[in-house]
Amino acid sequence: MVGRDTELTELVEAWSQVAGTSESRVAVITGGPGTGKTLLVATALRQLARQATSPNIVLTGAARVHSPAPYDWLAAVLSAHDAPDLPAPADALAWLAQHPDAPRERYPPDALLRMAVRVVRGLVDEGPAVLVVEDLHALDPASPNLIGELATAPRLPALLLVTARQPADEVAVRALTRLCGVPGAVRLHLGALTATEVGEVLRRAWPEVSADAILAVAERTRGNPYLVKELVATTHHEKPPPPADLTAREVEVLGCLADGMSNKQVARSLGISIRTVAVHVSNLLRKTRTSSRTEAALWAVRHQLARPRP
């Protein structure tokens, strides 16, 4: 969890305000694909399990097939928990659980919503509990209403952990706004890793990785934690890119390349032979891991060894 220590601490602190009480707390975790929302939740659950007051129950749900009834999240929860004597009629429970043989008769939406809240209360019992809602933006349109009701339900001893991408759907936007507006709600947004944090990840695989390689990986992946870790996972057995250890003369030649000079012009400018210039250019391409004079010139600009040409 490189770069996520602050967020992890906030989740543990939110749990401490739920444990031993009869009140709920809400934590909303947003971020783009690959920023580690699910990993953060999983790590937080492991941390909570080691607390003096750990969760008695964890209910986790995500998007499912939206048939024959709404409430994807609750259907996923019920499929994983066989709890008898829940406070709802058997046919309503079958519908909420999305059983394939659920009766065709439907309850009015308001009545079904009230039953769904009661069922969650029955599952939580005396708590304390953690309710994990994965990918709010992908749930069926009815589920956000249920999550919103749970977030404001009185005397529900639970920490509600909700993950979501920044949604474009109006229903999901309203749901996130409602959740973030709950008093005491924790709002966490996971962004890209900094170059320093990317370096911390890379050094776990390659302790001697160069600063140039770190900057290149950070730039190429844009600090996306998933892409950085995929890179490590697929290439950890290989040696890291070597540092671009340039000599003073190679730096001069690189500056000339960035100025758009030909080998003949470089030779005249630096007072060396064309053959020597060709050797320096070949070494530069190898050391900077570039494949052309233009790429080498761009490498020089990125690493502040040359100014960009107008």
Side-chain angles (χ1 to χ4, degrees):
M1 290 306 296
V2 173
R4 304 299 187 225
D5 290 341
T6 300
E7 291 82 357
L8 187 58
T9 299
E10 288 194 53
L11 294 181
V12 173
E13 175 62 24
W15 170 254
S16 68
Q17 298 176 20
V18 170
T21 71
S22 60
E23 299 304 319
S24 62
R25 289 296 302 275
V26 178
V28 178
I29 305 167
T30 58
T35 50
K37 300 182 293 296
T38 298
L39 179 59
L40 176 60
V41 170
T43 305
L45 290 176
R46 289 196 294 270
Q47 290 270 20
L48 300 186
R50 294 195 290 266
Q51 301 297 305
T53 304
S54 57
N56 284 339
I57 188 168
V58 177
L59 305 180
T60 302
R64 289 162 51 97
V65 178
H66 304 163
S67 174
Y71 305 133
D72 273 1
W73 179 81
L74 183 54
V77 167
L78 290 173
S79 68
H81 291 81
D82 184 18
D85 302 325
L86 289 173
D91 59 341
L93 280 175
W95 195 21
L96 290 172
Q98 295 185 356
H99 286 170
D101 57 348
R104 294 181 177 276
E105 292 77 9
R106 297 190 176 189
Y107 288 83
D110 289 346
L112 191 64
L113 178 59
R114 289 193 296 270
M115 278 188 284
V117 172
R118 287 201 301 269
V119 166
V120 174
R121 282 189 179 278
L123 291 169
V124 169
D125 197 15
E126 295 182 359
V130 178
L131 313 183
V132 180
V133 181
E134 292 274 9
D135 294 335
L136 180 73
H137 59 277
L139 292 175
D140 64 283
S143 282
N145 287 333
L146 173 58
I147 305 307
E149 290 295 315
L150 295 174
T152 56
R155 297 180 301 282
L156 182 66
L159 173 62
L160 185 60
L161 294 180
V162 181
T163 71
R165 296 180 192 173
Q166 199 61 40
D169 179 76
E170 185 178 348
V171 173
V173 170
R174 286 201 305 268
L176 277 181
T177 302
R178 181 180 180 183
L179 291 171
C180 293
V182 174
V186 176
R187 175 71 157 85
L188 305 175
H189 182 74
L190 306 186
L193 299 178
T194 65
T196 300
E197 292 164 346
V198 170
E200 186 177 343
V201 175
L202 296 182
R203 287 191 183 95
R204 295 181 179 184
W206 305 298
E208 303 301 324
V209 65
S210 70
D212 285 339
I214 291 171
L215 290 175
V217 170
E219 181 180 344
R220 188 67 176 267
T221 63
R222 298 184 179 179
N224 184 288
Y226 175 79
L227 296 180
V228 174
K229 291 173 183 175
E230 281 294 293
L231 172 68
V232 172
T234 55
T235 62
H236 71 278
H237 58 284
E238 302 174 4
K239 293 182 178 180
D245 250 345
L246 307 183
T247 66
R249 178 63 82 184
E250 286 168 346
V251 171
E252 290 180 324
V253 173
L254 190 59
C256 292
L257 296 184
D259 287 337
M261 295 185 185
S262 66
N263 282 8
K264 185 175 181 180
Q265 291 171 321
V266 174
R268 186 183 301 116
S269 174
L270 300 180
I272 56 179
S273 69
I274 295 179
R275 182 179 179 82
T276 301
V277 172
V279 172
H280 284 316
V281 171
S282 177
N283 288 338
L284 284 170
L285 297 181
R286 174 177 55 82
K287 289 184 177 182
T288 60
R289 301 175 69 83
T290 55
S291 58
S292 68
R293 298 162 65 93
T294 301
E295 283 189 21
L298 293 174
W299 185 96
V301 172
R302 286 199 301 270
H303 292 78
Q304 300 180 350
L305 295 177
R307 294 181 179 180
R309 299 184 67 199

